[in-house]
Amino acid sequence: MYARRRRAYLVLMGICLGLFVLAWGVVRLWSVPAAVAMCGVAMVIPPVAAVVANRRGPDDRWWDEPNGQDRDQDGDGDRDRDR
């Protein structure tokens, strides 16, 4: 799961970088408004990439799920780590 999210993040960020480079290296020679529009699209991609990279998968453990060490075994409210 982690590798898939990381790959999606890297692809989105690569598209973002490509849009910036193409906009100001190539497209601006023909159309400055098109280059600005490409940069506008590229500005939206990093937050979307962060959301995609941090999305919880169906099999992922979540931060508030107890692991085996911090689980309260007898239900009295304290951690039974040292017992």
Side-chain angles (χ1 to χ4, degrees):
M1 291 292 173
Y2 178 71
R4 185 180 327 147
R5 291 191 319 239
R6 183 173 51 184
R7 189 176 326 121
Y9 177 80
L10 290 174
V11 166
L12 285 170
M13 293 307 289
I15 291 170
C16 176
L17 183 62
L19 281 172
F20 273 120
V21 169
L22 284 175
W24 296 114
V26 178
V27 176
R28 74 171 168 89
L29 300 174
W30 288 279
S31 174
V32 172
V36 171
M38 288 173 67
C39 285
V41 171
M43 286 175 27
V44 174
I45 293 175
V48 171
V51 169
V52 167
N54 290 312
R55 184 181 60 209
R56 178 182 178 207
D59 297 333
D60 291 344
R61 290 182 52 104
W62 196 235
W63 64 274
D64 59 353
E65 291 180 1
N67 59 16
Q69 296 174 355
D70 293 338
R71 192 171 295 153
D72 181 21
Q73 298 293 331
D74 57 2
D76 61 355
D78 63 344
R79 292 183 186 166
D80 296 327
R81 183 182 298 182
D82 296 329
R83 292 184 187 181

